[in-house]
Amino acid sequence: MIKTITGAVRNASLQMKMFSLTAAVVVAVAACSFAWMQSALSGSLSLQVESRARALATYVASRSIDPLLTNNIYTLNALVDDTVKNNEDVKYLFIVGENGEVIVSSEKALAVSDELLAANASVAEDGLYRESSKALETDAGRIMDNAAPVFKEGGAEVRVGMGYESVGSFMTDVSSQLLVIVGLVLAVAMAVSYAIVKVTLRPVKDLVGLTERVSEGELGERANEYNHDEIGRLAESFNRMLDDLQMAEAERNDYVGELADKERILGLLLQKVINAQEDERKRIARELHDETSHSLTAMLIELQELRRGSLTADQEGHAVALKSLIDQALKDINQLAWNLRPSVLDKFGLQVSLERYVEEIEAHHSFSVDLVVQGDAASLPPDVEITIYRLVQEAVTNVVKYAHARELGIMLVVNAAFVSVVVEDDGVGFDVGAVTRLRPGEHLGLLGMDERVSILGGTLDIESSVGGGTTIIAKVPLRDKGASDET
């Protein structure tokens, strides 16, 4: 329960907290004021009852002197009856003689009890008697009993008992009226306090809304001008902070723009380097094929002519060994030329090049390769073709060197918007995070694949885990043919 209340208080708004605190103070002050007014009024009315009882007893005592001296009981009864009749709060009134006997009483049918007679009496001081007042708790409620001597020297006395019913009735009426007044004052105070709290916290709410808008990137917003109090100084400090943030944001944007320009220039330079590299590979591959291969072929022809003549057995053995060396050199040169730049890529396109490459891989390695091509691969731009081919080539090279795989899958998907390639193996895999944290020089193959794809605006994703194989996914957007030609 306490945790629930504490949580509700913590989650309440500042306006609600301040209003609740103000309302609690106002209610407490109103309740204390109401209780104090009731207590003060009750005490004042009680004093009035005591004063009325004393005055009434003194009045009856002064009027009883002559009838007592003349023993005029009738007059005394009339005096008692008239007094009780004219004062509704009087519960009893009787006159006690010198010997303590009741001479006349307002209670005609009932005798005055000895307990009541002994409950109060006039007080003697220096030989003279004065009145005495006592509050008596009776079955009929609280009664203010007053004893007034008829004669200063003592003897007869008048006893008057006055109840508090009129005080209680008056207190009830007054309390109801006070409660209404206090309620109205409390309502007005609550309304005023709510208005004051709302007006006081309006700048705070404005600042909260401003911080939310600033967090969404609206750094051009500013706090309103307020009074030069704590909230006003807070708003000024917030505006200065926003000015600094806006300047820092502008500088950051300029810096980011410069970096973007440099990155774009770097991409163009890298593209030119890659293009130059591919052109140089193509030139070297052509020279190896056209010149070196032709020279070795000419050597084979000359060697064949030489063998037609008369050779000794030893010379024939050397000729056979030389022919074998030339055949191996031709095969190596052709393989080297193919690795540098497969001529079939320029003649027949990416799909045929990948098929020939897969055949070469299966011929020289123990794992099987599954190639799947979906879409029209013949319509790809040259830069996209060579990028996809080099990516597959690098991925397969990594599989051959490190994966120890039994199966390798290559999937090429071409549509109107993009071309994607997936290379997946069931090898030993690796920790991608650990590899990417290495220095760039320690994972040039992966870095080169990513650079080639990013130059064309594509993305490269590598998914791998130790013992779970590796999947490389590249996705390159396709530009229209006009844009490709201009490039």
Side-chain angles (χ1 to χ4, degrees):
M1 181 66 179
I2 296 177
K3 291 184 178 180
T4 303
I5 296 175
T6 304
V9 171
R10 288 179 178 176
N11 295 329
S13 63
L14 182 60
Q15 179 175 330
M16 181 59 66
K17 291 178 182 177
M18 290 188 64
F19 175 70
S20 300
L21 180 61
T22 306
V25 172
V26 171
V27 170
V29 171
C32 292
S33 300
F34 181 74
W36 177 81
M37 291 176 66
Q38 271 195 321
S39 176
L41 185 60
S42 177
S44 177
L45 291 176
S46 298
L47 291 176
Q48 288 184 14
V49 169
E50 183 179 349
S51 177
R52 285 178 59 202
R54 185 182 300 113
L56 194 59
T58 303
Y59 168 76
V60 173
S62 65
R63 293 287 304 275
S64 301
I65 296 175
D66 291 339
L68 283 174
L69 292 175
T70 60
N71 198 23
N72 190 346
I73 303 302
Y74 175 80
T75 301
L76 291 175
N77 277 317
L79 176 62
V80 169
D81 292 340
D82 289 343
T83 302
V84 173
K85 182 179 179 180
N86 294 327
N87 295 273
E88 60 180 8
D89 289 338
V90 176
K91 296 298 182 180
Y92 57 81
L93 193 158
F94 56 89
I95 299 174
V96 182
E98 294 181 3
N99 299 321
E101 77 281 5
V102 177
I103 300 174
V104 292
S105 174
S106 61
E107 299 293 334
K108 306 297 192 231
L110 298 174
V112 178
S113 65
D114 294 337
E115 293 181 358
L116 182 59
L117 285 173
N120 194 14
S122 302
V123 179
E125 290 183 354
D126 299 330
L128 300 177
Y129 287 84
R130 62 173 179 81
E131 67 276 358
S132 173
S133 298
K134 287 186 178 181
L136 305 179
E137 300 294 338
T138 66
D139 294 338
R142 192 180 187 192
I143 293 177
M144 177 57 66
D145 186 280
N146 192 277
V150 177
F151 305 104
K152 297 296 183 181
E153 295 79 8
E157 66 179 6
V158 175
R159 293 279 297 278
V160 176
M162 185 168 289
Y164 286 85
E165 284 80 1
S166 61
V167 174
S169 177
F170 182 75
M171 282 294 299
T172 301
D173 295 340
V174 172
S175 297
S176 299
Q177 295 175 7
L178 282 176
L179 193 60
V180 173
I181 294 173
V182 170
L184 292 175
V185 172
L186 184 61
V188 173
M190 296 282 278
V192 172
S193 64
Y194 178 78
I196 292 174
V197 169
K198 187 174 183 179
V199 171
T200 303
L201 293 182
R202 181 178 298 168
V204 178
K205 295 181 69 174
D206 292 343
L207 286 176
V208 172
L210 178 60
T211 56
E212 293 176 351
R213 294 193 297 274
V214 169
S215 66
E216 295 174 355
E218 299 180 11
L219 297 181
E221 296 283 342
R222 291 294 181 273
N224 296 326
E225 295 290 336
Y226 300 108
N227 296 328
H228 295 288
D229 53 8
E230 289 80 359
I231 297 178
R233 291 195 293 272
L234 177 61
E236 292 175 358
S237 300
F238 195 78
N239 286 338
R240 288 196 297 270
M241 182 189 71
L242 288 179
D243 292 338
D244 295 339
L245 282 177
Q246 198 167 21
M247 292 178 60
E249 179 70 11
E251 293 176 357
R252 188 185 71 86
N253 290 337
D254 293 340
Y255 182 69
V256 170
E258 292 177 1
L259 287 181
D261 292 339
K262 291 180 179 179
E263 186 175 359
R264 181 179 57 83
I265 295 173
L266 183 61
L268 293 175
L269 292 175
L270 185 58
Q271 179 66 53
K272 289 183 178 296
V273 170
I274 292 176
N275 291 340
Q277 184 185 48
E278 291 297 331
D279 291 341
E280 186 64 16
R281 285 186 172 192
K282 185 187 297 185
R283 185 188 65 79
I284 294 174
R286 186 181 300 112
E287 288 183 358
L288 288 174
H289 183 271
D290 293 344
E291 297 180 8
T292 308
S293 295
H294 290 171
S295 298
L296 290 174
T297 302
M299 290 176 63
L300 281 176
I301 294 173
E302 291 296 330
L303 182 60
Q304 193 68 24
E305 290 295 328
L306 181 62
R307 292 178 63 189
R308 290 178 181 176
S310 58
L311 296 176
T312 65
D314 188 49
Q315 290 175 338
E316 181 65 24
H318 285 294
V320 171
L322 182 60
K323 180 179 181 301
S324 177
L325 290 175
I326 294 174
D327 288 338
Q328 185 61 42
L330 276 173
K331 186 182 295 184
D332 292 341
I333 288 174
N334 288 332
Q335 184 63 41
L336 178 61
W338 172 268
N339 290 334
L340 286 173
R341 178 76 179 197
S343 59
V344 69
L345 181 64
D346 299 321
K347 296 178 180 179
F348 302 105
L350 179 61
Q351 182 172 349
V352 176
S353 299
L354 291 177
E355 291 172 351
R356 288 285 304 277
Y357 184 63
V358 166
E359 292 175 0
E360 290 287 333
I361 293 299
E362 288 183 327
H364 292 86
H365 301 283
S366 59
F367 56 83
S368 62
V369 183
D370 183 20
L371 174 64
V372 177
V373 178
Q374 297 179 359
D376 184 13
S379 61
L380 294 176
D383 56 347
V384 175
E385 283 187 332
I386 191 61
T387 297
I388 298 298
Y389 183 83
R390 292 301 183 195
L391 187 144
V392 172
Q393 192 177 43
E394 181 63 33
V396 173
T397 301
N398 289 336
V399 172
V400 171
K401 289 182 177 180
Y402 311 111
H404 305 292
R406 293 185 303 272
E407 295 182 356
L408 174 66
I410 303 173
M411 175 179 287
L412 178 68
V413 179
V414 182
N415 58 30
F418 61 87
V419 55
S420 61
V421 61
V422 179
V423 181
E424 184 177 14
D425 67 74
D426 61 350
V428 297
F430 61 94
D431 186 350
V432 178
V435 172
T436 54
R437 286 192 296 269
L438 296 175
R439 290 176 296 179
E442 297 178 354
H443 57 97
L444 288 176
L446 298 178
L447 186 61
M449 287 192 289
D450 186 64
E451 289 293 341
R452 282 181 175 271
V453 173
S454 62
I455 287 175
L456 298 180
T459 58
L460 180 71
D461 294 319
I462 301 175
E463 299 174 359
S464 183
S465 61
V466 177
T470 302
T471 301
I472 297 177
I473 305 171
K475 187 175 181 179
V476 178
L478 294 178
R479 298 168 293 181
D480 55 55
K481 185 170 177 55
S484 179
D485 293 341
E486 290 176 3
T487 304

